[in-house]
Amino acid sequence: MKTTTHRYIFKETLPIFFIGLAIFTIILLMDKILKLIELIVNRGGSITNILMLFAFICPSFLILTIPTSVLLATLLTLGRLSGDSEITAFKASGMSLYQLFLPIAIFSFLAYLLTSFLVFYGLPWGNRGFKATLYMIAQSKADIEIKERVFNDAFNGLVVYVDKVPVQGRKMEGILIYDERDKGKSNTIFAKEGFLVSNPESQEVILRLCNGNIHRFEPRTNIFQRAQFGTYDLRLELAKAFVALEKKLKEHEMSIQEIRKKIAQMKAKGEDTTSQKVELHKRYAIPFACLVFGLIGVPLGIQPRRSGRSFGFIFSILILLTYYVSLIAFEILAVRRAIPAYLAGWMPNLLLGCLGTYLLIKAANESPFKPALWLIEALDLLQKKWKGFIDDV
C-alpha cells in the first residue's frame, strides 16, 4: 500500500514539474532570445548555431528554474490531492503525513542532485561550448564575407578588396585594404597574398598578409609614411564583436571555477573580493533550495478546503518572492560587510527550512497554520467579489 501510494504521488508530481520547468525556463530565456535573434540577423549565425547557443546557456537558467519547479509541483500536487480528499483517504488507511512526505523528499533530493550537477559541471560545459560556438560563427562569417573583386565592408573599420581567391576564404591574391579603425588616421595596405588564420585559444580571426606595404597618412602633421613588410597580421574586428556579445550574455553565468579564479586574481591585486565570495556561496546554496521548497510545499499544499487547491500558484509566487527578496537582502548586507559572505546564500535556506519544518509538524498534528487559512479566506473573498463584478457587467 505504501509503495503504491509513493509511486502515485511521485507520478503526479513529475508532469507538473516538467511543465513548470519549461515555462519558467522560457520566461528567463526571453531576454537572451532577443540578443540571439540579433546575432542571426547581424552576424550571420545559422539556426543550428543559435540552437547550440541556447543549449549552452540553459544550465545557467536551470539552476534557478529547477528549485522553482519543485516548489510549484509540490504545491499543486498536494493541493490537488487535498482538494479531492485523497489525503484524507490516505490518512484513513493508516498513513501519516510524514510517510506521504517521503516521495516528495526523494523527488526534492533528486532535483537537488541534478541542480548540483549543473552548478559544478553544467555551467563550465556551457561556458566552454558558448565560447567555442561564437568563435565558430565568427570564423565562418569571415570565410564567407571575403569575395574576389568585391569591396567587402563586413569587418568593422575595414574595406577589403581581393583580386583572386583561389581557395575560398583561405588564400587570397592581390589584396587592397583601407583601414580607418583609428580615428583621425587612415592606412592603405597592399599585399601580394594573404591567408585567414584562426586561433582557437585566443578565439581570434587574423588576416595574415605577405609581401606588401603600408601607406599611412597623418592629417594633423600632414605626414605620409610608407612601410614594407614580409608578414603582417591584421586582427579582424568581427571576432571582437562576438567577444563583446559573449560578455553581455554571461555576466551572471560564471562557473564556480571561474569565480574562484577571479577571486584569486583580485586577491593578488589587493582588491575586495566580497561580492565574488557572496556569489560563490550562492552557487553552493541554491541547489539546497530544492530540499527547502519540497519541505515547505507539503504543509502549504495540503489545504482543508476544496477551494484551496486553486491557490497553489499564489502560494508558490509568495514563497519565491520571500526567498529571492531575502536572498537579495542578505546579499546587500554581506556586500556591505554587515554579515559574513557565506550567510548571504545560506540564510534564506535556513529561515525557510525552519519554517517548513514547523509547518510540517503542525500539519502532521492536524493543527492548521492560521496565516495560510487567513490568506485563503481573503483570496476566496476576492474571487467571489470578482465573479460578482463580472456577472453584473
Side-chain angles (χ1 to χ4, degrees), residues 187-393:
N187 299 328
T188 304
I189 305 173
F190 297 92
K192 289 185 178 179
E193 60 181 7
F195 307 88
L196 277 177
V197 179
S198 303
N199 188 345
E201 294 183 359
S202 63
Q203 297 190 350
E204 292 180 328
V205 179
I206 298 172
L207 179 57
R208 179 159 295 168
L209 304 174
C210 304
N211 301 324
N213 50 72
I214 302 174
H215 299 262
R216 182 177 292 112
F217 178 69
E218 179 61 57
R220 296 179 181 178
T221 58
N222 201 26
I223 295 177
F224 176 83
Q225 297 177 328
R226 181 176 179 272
Q228 291 184 335
F229 61 83
T231 303
Y232 181 75
D233 288 346
L234 188 67
R235 289 178 174 81
L236 301 180
E237 297 295 329
L238 181 67
K240 291 183 179 180
F242 281 98
V243 172
L245 177 63
E246 172 200 340
K247 289 180 179 178
K248 289 181 182 179
L249 288 173
K250 58 163 280 184
E251 281 180 356
H252 303 289
E253 299 158 13
M254 297 174 64
S255 65
I256 287 179
Q257 291 81 357
E258 290 172 327
I259 296 174
R260 289 186 178 277
K261 183 178 179 181
K262 188 173 182 179
I263 290 175
Q265 292 174 348
M266 293 178 68
K267 280 185 176 180
K269 297 178 182 178
E271 298 177 356
D272 181 31
T273 60
T274 303
S275 298
Q276 287 69 35
K277 289 180 179 179
V278 169
E279 183 65 28
L280 183 64
H281 285 290
K282 282 171 59 180
R283 292 300 174 88
Y284 286 112
I286 285 178
F288 277 90
C290 296
L291 303 176
V292 173
F293 287 162
L295 176 64
I296 200 172
V298 171
L300 289 180
I302 297 175
Q303 300 301 331
R305 299 168 55 129
R306 294 180 61 86
S307 59
R309 63 179 179 175
S310 62
F311 298 129
F313 284 106
I314 298 175
F315 274 124
S316 62
I317 291 173
L318 291 176
I319 295 170
L320 289 174
L321 284 175
T322 302
Y323 180 82
Y324 287 110
V325 168
S326 62
L327 194 64
I328 294 171
F330 284 112
E331 181 178 356
I332 293 173
L333 291 175
V335 170
R336 294 180 179 178
R337 298 185 179 182
I339 60 174
Y342 65 88
L343 289 180
W346 293 104
M347 277 302 291
N349 286 339
L350 180 62
L351 293 176
L352 287 182
C354 292
L355 177 61
T357 303
Y358 170 74
L359 294 178
L360 185 64
I361 294 173
K362 286 185 69 68
N365 296 330
E366 298 186 356
S367 175
F369 185 54
K370 291 184 179 180
L373 295 180
W374 296 338
L375 177 60
I376 291 174
E377 291 175 359
L379 293 173
D380 276 336
L381 181 61
L382 289 175
Q383 189 177 31
K384 290 177 181 178
K385 289 187 175 182
W386 176 254
K387 288 182 178 179
F389 174 75
I390 295 296
D391 293 338
D392 293 339
V393 174

Side-chain angles (χ1 to χ4, degrees), residues 22-243:
I23 294 174
F24 290 132
T25 304
I26 290 173
I27 291 173
L28 291 181
L29 279 173
M30 290 304 295
D31 177 58
K32 307 301 182 185
I33 289 174
L34 297 177
K35 290 184 175 66
L36 294 178
I37 290 175
E38 178 186 358
L39 180 64
I40 297 177
V41 175
N42 298 332
R43 304 298 181 183
S46 66
I47 298 297
T48 303
N49 296 143
I50 300 307
L51 293 177
M52 290 174 63
L53 291 178
F54 269 122
F56 290 134
I57 64 176
C58 272
S60 62
F61 294 104
L62 289 175
I63 62 176
L64 299 176
T65 57
I66 289 176
T68 304
S69 302
V70 169
L71 175 62
L72 180 67
T74 303
L75 285 169
L76 293 186
T77 300
L78 272 297
R80 206 276 302 169
L81 295 177
S82 178
D84 291 344
S85 300
E86 294 186 40
I87 296 294
T88 304
F90 292 143
K91 289 182 178 180
S93 64
M95 296 187 68
S96 66
L97 183 60
Y98 299 117
Q99 292 172 325
L100 296 176
F101 172 67
L102 181 60
I104 298 298
I106 295 174
F107 178 76
S108 301
F109 182 72
L110 293 176
Y112 160 76
L113 293 179
L114 177 59
T115 308
S116 299
F117 175 82
L118 291 174
V119 168
F120 287 98
Y121 302 103
L123 279 176
W125 169 82
N127 288 341
R128 289 194 301 268
F130 192 84
K131 292 178 183 178
T133 305
L134 285 179
Y135 171 71
M136 181 177 63
I137 297 174
Q139 181 182 358
S140 63
K141 176 73 173 177
D143 292 347
I144 294 171
E145 288 297 334
I146 298 180
K147 301 176 182 178
E148 62 181 22
R149 298 180 183 179
V150 174
F151 286 95
N152 304 277
D153 58 354
F155 312 108
N156 297 334
L158 295 175
V159 178
V160 182
Y161 178 86
V162 178
D163 185 50
K164 293 181 181 179
V165 186
V167 180
Q168 176 61 39
R170 290 296 176 181
K171 182 180 179 181
M172 294 157 278
E173 297 177 356
I175 303 171
L176 166 64
I177 299 176
Y178 181 71
D179 183 357
E180 54 179 359
R181 290 176 295 179
D182 294 335
K183 294 182 179 180
K185 298 180 182 180
S186 61
N187 299 328
T188 304
I189 305 173
F190 297 92
K192 289 185 178 179
E193 60 181 7
F195 307 88
L196 277 177
V197 179
S198 303
N199 188 345
E201 294 183 359
S202 63
Q203 297 190 350
E204 292 180 328
V205 179
I206 298 172
L207 179 57
R208 179 159 295 168
L209 304 174
C210 304
N211 301 324
N213 50 72
I214 302 174
H215 299 262
R216 182 177 292 112
F217 178 69
E218 179 61 57
R220 296 179 181 178
T221 58
N222 201 26
I223 295 177
F224 176 83
Q225 297 177 328
R226 181 176 179 272
Q228 291 184 335
F229 61 83
T231 303
Y232 181 75
D233 288 346
L234 188 67
R235 289 178 174 81
L236 301 180
E237 297 295 329
L238 181 67
K240 291 183 179 180
F242 281 98
V243 172

